[in-house]
Amino acid sequence: MLVGAFACAHTPQLLARPGTEDRDLVLRVHAAFARVKRRLEALRADAIAIVAGDHVEAFFLDSVPALAVYVGAECAGTFGHYRYRFPIHEPLARAIVEQGVERGFDLCYTQSAPLDYAFYVPLHFTMPEPALPIVPLHVNVYLPPQPTPRRCFEWGAALGAIVRARSERVVLMCSGGMSHFPGTDRYASPEFEYDRRLLDTLREGRGRELAAVTGEELDKMGNIELRTWAVVLGAVGDAKADVYCYEPSWHHGNAVVEWAL
Amino acid sequence: MSAAEPLHYRFPPASAYRLNRCLFALKSDDDFRARFLQDARAAMRELGLGDDDAAAVLRGDRDTLLARGAHPYLVFMADLRLRMAREPVTFEYF
């Protein structure tokens, strides 16, 4: 069963705040994360399938999968003094990779890749109590050529069908975005208006329009990570988004969203 | 569907593999970063970096690194991790 669908920002400054970041803004994003956590508890979810874009942490240039599924017993990642370890919902992870391949998606799988902060920053703040097992789902967002937004959307549609046929109560969460340009001369000038327009289309249940956007446009708008949103949009179809927050910092559009299923 | 070269995050050319490997190690490998801070040239020799790449990493100039094929995100995070190691930044941890 698919019981919930969310999108969460994951910028690491939300976890460890340097003096450059507005404290009140960070706390407002945390408050939105806290709402997600309460929703996950209310939804009585059994597992979180989290779709995130690797920041060249799990996969370097030795091997760059477009779409990957983590199918180990547990996964782990570190960031500064933070140490994370999450149990994997193995039956669900296996079903996703096996049925995904059956449905024509040539998925990569891994049983050991390190977990990127794109996964654990949202989970740090939204993991319900007691904690749930997860299934990390990778989308290549940083190393061109990335999968097209349309392909991500189609993978999400398949993922949604796979999850809906399961007996577990599964929440889909995408991690990433919105506009930001790390490592470029655009770092301090994201495309906040693009974000706001996109959020308006999502509020109206027109998320499938993201599938028609080109990769070139996402790159231009600092939104290469929205490929992870395209996956969840493929799964939720025309559901309308409830935007918990949109908080533009000096370098990043932080959004937290729930889709009404 | 356009096949135009992306503006910001471009295909990392094979000629820059070692350079990107070094930036990746500075970002994600605490032991390598410690060795680099001790003796940068020796650490870069471990990874077989050429003289021009090594000079670009030592200068830390983003435009030069990008022109040599470095991935912008790796340049950004390698630089951040080195700065954090050299002059510990004060963070509020949540």
Side-chain angles (χ1 to χ4, degrees):
Chain A
M1 267 176 286
L2 177 61
V3 297
F6 299 85
C8 291
H10 65 225
T11 175
Q13 292 94 336
L14 297 170
L15 188 61
R17 185 187 69 84
T20 52
E21 306 300 310
D22 178 347
R23 186 167 198 270
D24 290 339
L25 181 148
V26 166
L27 294 180
R28 287 195 297 274
V29 180
H30 289 178
F33 283 152
R35 278 183 71 187
V36 174
K37 177 176 175 169
R38 290 194 296 274
R39 281 289 290 149
L40 293 180
E41 288 167 350
L43 290 166
R44 294 177 292 108
D46 296 315
I48 303 169
I50 176 166
V51 186
D54 186 51
H55 291 71
V56 202
E57 179 74 10
F59 303 107
F60 178 63
L61 296 166
D62 302 293
S63 173
V64 183
L67 301 169
V69 182
Y70 191 103
V71 200
E74 62 172 15
C75 57
T78 63
F79 189 76
H81 72 249
Y82 291 94
R83 298 279 182 276
Y84 293 96
R85 197 166 280 279
F86 297 98
I88 302 298
H89 196 300
E90 223 178 316
L92 179 62
R94 274 194 65 176
I96 289 171
V97 73
E98 288 170 355
Q99 293 174 36
V101 169
E102 280 296 315
R103 286 170 177 269
F105 291 86
D106 302 323
L107 302 167
C108 168
Y109 68 88
T110 171
Q111 300 187 329
S112 70
L115 202 66
D116 184 68
Y117 69 75
F119 291 94
Y120 53 69
V121 171
L123 294 172
H124 176 96
F125 293 102
T126 64
M127 183 59 83
E129 294 165 38
L132 300 175
I134 67 171
V135 179
L137 300 167
H138 287 267
V139 179
N140 171 28
V141 301
Y142 271 102
L143 294 170
Q146 303 97 326
T148 62
R150 182 166 304 284
R151 183 63 170 167
C152 295
F153 188 88
E154 287 165 355
W155 165 228
L159 180 64
I162 294 165
V163 164
R164 285 189 179 90
R166 300 284 303 177
S167 58
E168 303 94 353
R169 300 175 62 81
V170 179
V171 163
L172 275 181
M173 180 185 287
C174 54
S175 164
M178 294 175 87
S179 187
H180 63 307
F181 294 95
T184 78
D185 55 11
R186 290 290 312 275
Y187 189 55
S189 51
E191 294 281 354
F192 296 136
E193 283 314 306
Y194 184 86
D195 290 354
R196 290 192 175 99
R197 281 198 302 276
L198 180 66
L199 287 171
D200 285 341
T201 66
L202 300 184
R203 283 189 183 96
E204 292 166 13
R206 292 156 49 210
R208 65 181 64 241
E209 290 178 17
L210 187 60
V213 166
T214 62
E216 188 190 357
E217 176 174 323
L218 291 185
D219 179 88
K220 194 175 163 193
M221 295 298 162
N223 267 316
I224 55 178
E225 292 179 353
L226 288 185
R227 287 175 173 82
T228 67
W229 291 43
V231 173
V232 169
L233 286 165
V236 304
D238 302 324
K240 290 183 176 172
D242 179 1
V243 179
Y244 283 13
C245 79
Y246 181 69
E247 294 287 349
S249 79
W250 65 273
H251 57 85
H252 197 117
N254 294 282
V256 179
V257 168
E258 176 177 6
W259 281 275
L261 299 185
Chain B
M1 189 67 60
S2 170
E5 181 85 14
L7 266 178
H8 300 107
Y9 300 99
R10 297 182 180 178
F11 182 81
S15 60
Y17 175 84
R18 286 185 170 142
L19 174 59
N20 279 314
R21 181 75 185 74
C22 178
L23 296 169
F24 170 64
L26 289 171
K27 168 179 95 68
S28 297
D29 182 341
D30 293 345
D31 294 337
F32 180 82
R33 196 183 316 112
R35 293 200 296 282
F36 181 93
L37 289 165
Q38 199 91 48
D39 185 342
R41 288 186 184 281
M44 289 189 287
R45 273 197 301 276
E46 284 175 35
L47 298 180
L49 236 62
D51 291 344
D52 292 347
D53 282 341
V57 172
L58 284 176
R59 276 181 58 205
D61 176 60
R62 188 184 68 195
D63 292 343
T64 307
L65 289 165
L66 297 188
R68 298 193 66 76
H71 189 283
Y73 181 79
L74 292 177
V75 174
F76 175 76
M77 222 39 177
D79 174 63
L80 180 65
R81 297 307 296 262
L82 283 174
R83 280 192 286 125
M84 283 168 63
R86 284 177 176 137
E87 40 184 297
V89 186
T90 308
F91 289 99
E92 180 180 9
Y93 293 104
F94 294 100

